[in-house]
Amino acid sequence: MDHSSSGGETGLHARVLDELGTAVCGGELAAGSVLNIDELVERYAVSRSVIREVLRVLASMGLIETRRRVGVLIRPAEAWNVFDPQVIRWRLASAGRMAQLRSITELRTAVEPHAAWLAAVRISPDDASDLVGIAAKMWAAGQAGDEDRFLRLDIEFHRRILAASGNEMFGKLRELVAEVLTGRHHYHLMPHHPDQQALQLHADVASALQRRDGDAARRAMVQIMEQAFDEMKSLWEQTTEPVG
């Protein structure tokens, strides 16, 4: 079997999927417009099988649909699977970045404080100790201005709390949280040195979980989310992009 050919097809598929997905999520391909498979084959210089597979993936995300006697139709934003991490990544890469950040932060504000409250009852002692350690490492990385390490630790901190909630649906949001945190760093929408209060609040959440104090964990997580809003609010005010 020719693995190089297979790898080439995979690479082409990923490139075309990324370009088409970004074009749809960014509004370059407007809702209601029709895609022509032959034109896509010519534009991207790939086989029809690659285009058909890309369209199958986009359809599974709700971005397009195939209609008889019409063809491949771009669907409106309300039809998209907005929880798909790849859709989130494409929206963050578009001109609608701030609106995407806002909607995810609103979702996190609703979920993560309650996840922290549940985790206070359900987290194991070892996992609680690990969280205290992660919070301490976040403090060190933040003080040192090591943004890449801070990002990895921040993602891991929130991932563990969602998992420790014991709610499998909350746990599934970890990829969504990872995408928004990564996106904020990638597009320079985070302070270079994390705010001292933010670092302290992460330590407060971990400490509260170790003490099994759900109310304190929830209060500290609410403050983390409010601070994220405050950081982004100043950015929203500097842009003419609609955020509502």
Side-chain angles (χ1 to χ4, degrees):
M1 179 179 175
D2 185 352
H3 288 287
S4 62
S5 172
S6 175
E9 285 274 293
T10 302
L12 289 171
H13 171 269
R15 176 179 64 83
V16 176
L17 178 64
D18 205 46
E19 289 188 26
L20 270 177
T22 302
V24 174
C25 290
E28 183 185 327
L29 291 172
S33 58
V34 177
L35 297 177
N36 180 284
I37 291 178
D38 291 329
E39 287 177 7
L40 293 174
V41 166
E42 187 175 343
R43 183 193 310 173
Y44 293 107
V46 294
S47 66
R48 289 178 70 87
S49 65
V50 167
I51 293 297
R52 288 191 182 281
E53 177 59 19
V54 165
L55 295 177
R56 186 192 66 76
V57 174
L58 293 175
S60 74
M61 297 174 174
L63 270 60
I64 64 168
E65 64 177 322
T66 302
R67 289 189 183 172
R68 288 180 63 186
R69 293 190 291 276
V70 175
V72 180
L73 200 65
I74 305 296
R75 300 184 75 190
E78 54 267 25
W80 303 347
N81 177 8
V82 293
F83 286 92
D84 189 294
Q86 208 155 13
V87 172
I88 291 168
R89 200 174 312 142
W90 291 331
R91 292 179 73 190
L92 287 172
S94 77
R97 181 175 306 135
M98 295 301 180
Q100 172 69 111
L101 284 170
R102 181 171 187 157
S103 65
I104 295 182
T105 305
E106 288 172 348
L107 176 67
R108 292 183 65 197
T109 301
V111 169
E112 291 198 58
H114 195 67
W117 183 77
L118 289 171
V121 175
R122 297 172 177 173
I123 196 167
S124 72
D126 284 348
D127 285 346
S129 294
D130 286 348
L131 268 176
V132 171
I134 292 170
K137 290 174 185 175
M138 285 177 69
W139 193 291
Q143 297 289 77
D146 187 342
E147 295 182 28
D148 289 342
R149 186 161 190 258
F150 182 84
L151 171 62
R152 289 195 299 274
L153 291 165
D154 199 13
I155 289 171
E156 181 65 9
F157 185 89
H158 290 278
R159 182 193 72 77
R160 286 191 180 228
I161 289 176
L162 288 166
S165 74
N167 182 300
E168 78 283 0
M169 298 188 83
F170 285 3
K172 280 291 183 184
L173 295 177
R174 65 187 181 275
E175 291 180 21
L176 177 151
V177 172
E179 285 297 338
V180 73
L181 290 173
T182 301
R184 284 191 66 192
H185 278 264
H186 181 73
Y187 295 106
H188 308 293
L189 301 174
M190 295 283 276
H192 178 62
H193 288 273
D195 185 274
Q196 291 279 106
Q197 187 190 10
L199 294 169
Q200 182 60 55
L201 287 169
H202 282 78
D204 290 347
V205 170
S207 175
L209 292 180
Q210 199 169 41
R211 300 192 313 272
R212 299 202 174 277
D213 186 341
D215 289 337
R218 176 165 50 192
R219 283 195 303 271
M221 188 63 85
V222 166
Q223 288 181 270
I224 289 172
M225 295 301 131
E226 287 176 346
Q227 191 165 56
F229 258 113
D230 288 342
E231 287 169 358
M232 286 186 285
K233 188 177 179 184
S234 62
L235 295 165
W236 294 332
E237 290 169 351
Q238 294 167 24
T239 180
T240 56
E241 178 193 321
V243 296

